[in-house]
Amino acid sequence: MKKIDKSVADAYFKARNTIIVICLLIGGLASFGVVFFAESLQHIQFMGMPFHYYMAAQGAVVTFVVMLFVNAIVSDRIDRKFGINEEENVRLSAGKTVDH
């Protein structure tokens, strides 16, 4: 495996951590934010049912599934930007053992 400069590695992990924080915030808002504001959201109708009920029943699950796909796409772009090649790393490390 090739060596990565510390500044590049720091920028890579900063970008990855930013994506993780954004996903956690969106997930928290989808799960807890709707519950917290359920009383004020009950007057908003979405597909014929109260918005807070829809988000609790289906919306949060759909939000998480969409986030998984978006996270995978953004992570691949970050990896390409910083020259990280997962397939090459797997190929290089395949079959190697650790000597004690």
Side-chain angles (χ1 to χ4, degrees):
M1 288 187 344
K2 67 179 183 176
K3 296 288 182 182
I4 299 174
D5 186 39
K6 181 171 175 17
S7 63
V8 173
D10 289 344
Y12 172 76
F13 285 111
K14 182 177 180 182
R16 295 286 298 158
N17 287 340
T18 301
I19 295 303
I20 291 169
V21 168
I22 290 170
C23 286
L24 286 172
L25 289 173
I26 292 171
L29 185 63
S31 20
F32 298 113
V34 174
V35 173
F36 188 71
F37 295 109
E39 209 170 299
S40 60
L41 292 173
Q42 71 183 358
H43 304 294
I44 300 171
Q45 295 289 316
F46 184 77
M47 296 179 65
M49 62 184 85
F51 184 70
H52 70 283
Y53 176 78
Y54 175 81
M55 282 302 291
Q58 297 174 3
V61 176
V62 171
T63 301
F64 293 133
V65 170
V66 169
M67 267 193 338
L68 287 172
F69 285 106
V70 170
N71 183 36
I73 292 167
V74 172
S75 294
D76 286 344
R77 288 182 183 168
I78 291 172
D79 289 349
R80 276 194 303 265
K81 177 181 176 184
F82 289 99
I84 309 290
N85 186 348
E86 184 177 334
E87 287 80 18
E88 182 180 317
N89 290 341
V90 169
R91 184 176 48 79
L92 287 174
S93 64
K96 294 189 177 183
T97 60
V98 177
D99 294 325
H100 295 289

